[in-house]
Amino acid sequence: MGNIRNNHKTSRDITEDHAAAPERHTPRAQYREDSRNYRKHSKKNLDLISRSLAENGAGRSILLDNTGESIAGSGTLNRAQKLGVPIREIHTDGSELIAVIRDDIGPDDPRRKRLALADNACSDSSEWDFGTIEADGWEPEELSDWGIDLPVEKEPEEPAAEDEGYYGDRRENTFNKYLLHEFDPFRCAGFYQMPALEPETHVPERLIDFNAAKSSKEHHCGVHFFIDDYRFECIWNRPHEYVDRLCFFDCAFTPDFSLYMDMPMAMKVWNVYRSRLIGQIMQDAGIRVIPTVSWAEPETYAFCFDGLPEGGNVAVSTVGVMRDREAQRVFKDGMAAMIEKVKPALILMYGKPMPEVCGDVPFRSYENDTFGAQFAARVKARKEK
């Protein structure tokens, strides 16, 4: 590690180099560090960043929002401003990747490996600020998808039960885990006792996905669940917490728990049950609830329409249906079976409109508003310029 200090520029050298070409920089009056940074930058971490900037020059870029506050690279921004390193702005809408090229460093330049080592050392020496992450409303399921696990508090040891036949709190925990207290055997339908919903004919003007709704203040819209399951698994784990939030919105669809063709049949039954039960809980809270309908192979018709009321509106998604002929066939066949069984008043169709599968039932279509669709639209618009 001793030879890392050899042949490196100082912060004064960096500033002088950049000062020679002021026309390449367009700094604004003030840059600010992220006010709710998800990373903790210890003194050791900041010292390493300072050393890397002084000895190796700048490597990675930082990311700012349109007000000049950092989104990523807060530690680097902090140290660069301390050292007086100029900042050049590159403006983008996120539809292209910005590559930073060090023209002064080639493949065999010894500074190349020193910069690579320093970059990784600086990254590894910071840690997550879980307090800030939780305060920002992130759910454990959302974090785990990025490989981030919230620290788990050690549970106190349970005292030994005097009576081995007593289940007590353990039984209560099981009931809470599976929402068994919410199940009403007098309000269910079919062999699998799917919770039954009341018909709803309301038609929302626009939709917002559940993940966005958690922090949205725009309540004049319906909330849909046509997003990845992990983004709304939290409503099953803590239904009343999120149902209380949904009460402010115009209406809500029931959760669209996935029914993949290659899932075990038991999982498909379970996901339909969960969707219906959450829908029933939402209706009991006074929310206008429109049931989301999904299916897989014809064998799922035996339960996937149970609990749906006749004569009300239903919601379906066409996202991904057009990817191949088999998917189109499964969707078309399921729509025909659903219409025959449920006899909906109106079909609310999220994604690409497919009026040919609605038969004589009127439909209302809503544009796919997910991030992926928005990103693709931005890229397409950019190419067409």
Side-chain angles (χ1 to χ4, degrees):
M1 293 294 289
N3 64 356
I4 289 181
R5 295 181 179 275
N6 297 335
N7 302 319
H8 294 296
K9 297 180 180 181
T10 65
S11 58
R12 178 180 298 175
D13 295 327
I14 295 172
T15 305
E16 290 175 351
D17 287 350
H18 286 284
E23 71 280 3
R24 300 181 65 191
H25 306 286
T26 57
R28 62 184 73 216
Q30 183 182 13
Y31 296 98
R32 305 180 311 283
E33 296 175 51
D34 189 354
S35 58
R36 52 184 193 277
N37 192 1
Y38 293 158
R39 301 293 287 183
K40 292 181 179 179
H41 295 282
S42 63
K43 182 179 184 300
K44 173 185 175 182
N45 173 247
L46 293 174
D47 287 346
L48 284 175
I49 296 174
S50 293
R51 176 181 173 184
S52 180
L53 284 170
E55 296 182 355
N56 305 305
R60 289 180 183 268
S61 60
I62 62 175
L63 180 63
L64 309 174
D65 65 22
N66 58 17
T67 69
E69 183 171 332
S70 63
I71 299 174
S74 293
T76 302
L77 175 62
N78 176 289
R79 295 294 93 181
Q81 291 185 314
K82 294 286 186 183
L83 293 172
V85 179
I87 297 174
R88 187 201 313 183
E89 295 183 358
I90 303 295
H91 294 264
T92 176
D93 62 0
S95 61
E96 59 184 357
L97 183 66
I98 304 299
V100 178
I101 299 177
R102 282 287 296 267
D103 292 327
D104 61 318
I105 297 180
D108 299 323
D109 193 320
R111 292 176 298 165
R112 187 184 190 281
K113 66 180 182 181
R114 287 194 287 265
L115 183 55
L117 180 65
D119 179 80
N120 285 282
C122 291
S123 298
D124 291 346
S125 61
S126 65
E127 60 184 35
W128 293 110
D129 187 338
F130 289 110
T132 302
I133 290 174
E134 289 188 279
D136 244 5
W138 287 98
E139 296 297 334
E141 295 82 7
E142 297 174 288
L143 296 174
S144 64
D145 189 62
W146 291 96
I148 304 170
D149 295 320
L150 291 174
V152 179
E153 296 183 5
K154 187 177 180 181
E155 296 183 0
E157 295 183 4
E158 295 184 7
E162 296 181 4
D163 182 357
E164 293 297 330
Y166 173 69
Y167 291 93
D169 291 341
R170 293 186 180 181
R171 178 180 176 86
E172 185 67 17
N173 289 339
T174 300
F175 267 65
N176 292 335
K177 174 70 174 178
Y178 297 107
L179 306 186
L180 294 178
H181 290 301
E182 307 290 347
F183 174 68
D184 185 347
F186 299 103
R187 290 194 297 162
C188 58
F191 177 80
Y192 293 103
Q193 296 181 289
M194 297 296 179
L197 302 176
E198 297 296 324
E200 176 58 63
T201 57
H202 178 70
V203 181
E205 287 299 316
R206 58 182 292 263
L207 299 176
I208 184 174
D209 72 66
F210 172 76
N211 198 48
K214 287 189 291 186
S215 58
S216 176
K217 295 181 180 179
E218 297 182 27
H219 297 148
H220 301 294
C221 52
V223 179
H224 73 80
F225 289 80
F226 297 125
I227 52 179
D228 293 330
D229 291 34
Y230 76 89
R231 293 187 178 278
F232 57 83
E233 187 72 27
C234 54
I235 198 171
W236 173 257
N237 296 328
R238 300 187 301 281
H240 293 287
E241 174 184 335
Y242 291 100
V243 167
D244 287 346
R245 300 185 194 181
L246 292 175
C247 286
F248 293 99
F249 288 87
D250 181 51
C251 66
F253 293 2
T254 57
D256 184 38
F257 292 109
S258 295
L259 298 186
Y260 294 125
M261 299 282 283
D262 54 356
M263 274 183 173
M265 193 63 72
M267 289 185 66
K268 297 171 188 175
V269 173
W270 173 237
N271 277 349
V272 172
Y273 171 85
R274 294 201 294 165
S275 177
R276 299 287 191 275
L277 184 59
I278 295 297
Q280 199 175 81
I281 293 172
M282 290 194 293
Q283 281 192 332
D284 289 346
I287 299 173
R288 291 188 288 208
V289 176
I290 299 168
T292 299
V293 192
S294 56
W295 53 86
E297 65 276 17
E299 286 76 10
T300 62
Y301 301 168
F303 58 85
C304 66
F305 307 132
D306 289 345
L308 298 178
E310 289 189 11
N313 295 349
V314 297
V316 298
S317 170
T318 64
V319 176
V321 170
M322 302 303 294
R323 67 179 183 269
D324 57 53
R325 291 184 178 179
E326 177 62 14
Q328 294 176 41
R329 184 191 63 78
V330 170
F331 185 75
K332 180 179 179 180
D333 292 347
M335 282 288 290
M338 183 272 291
I339 291 172
E340 180 181 359
K341 176 72 179 294
V342 181
K343 300 176 178 58
L346 180 71
I347 296 172
L348 306 184
M349 188 171 289
Y350 180 81
K352 182 179 177 61
M354 296 179 64
E356 66 275 13
V357 301
C358 296
D360 296 329
V361 181
F363 75 97
R364 164 83 182 260
S365 63
Y366 297 86
E367 185 178 354
N368 181 357
D369 66 346
T370 60
F371 173 79
Q374 295 171 5
F375 181 83
R378 290 203 303 271
V379 172
K380 182 180 179 181
R382 188 180 186 88
K383 291 179 178 178
E384 291 175 348
K385 286 183 179 179

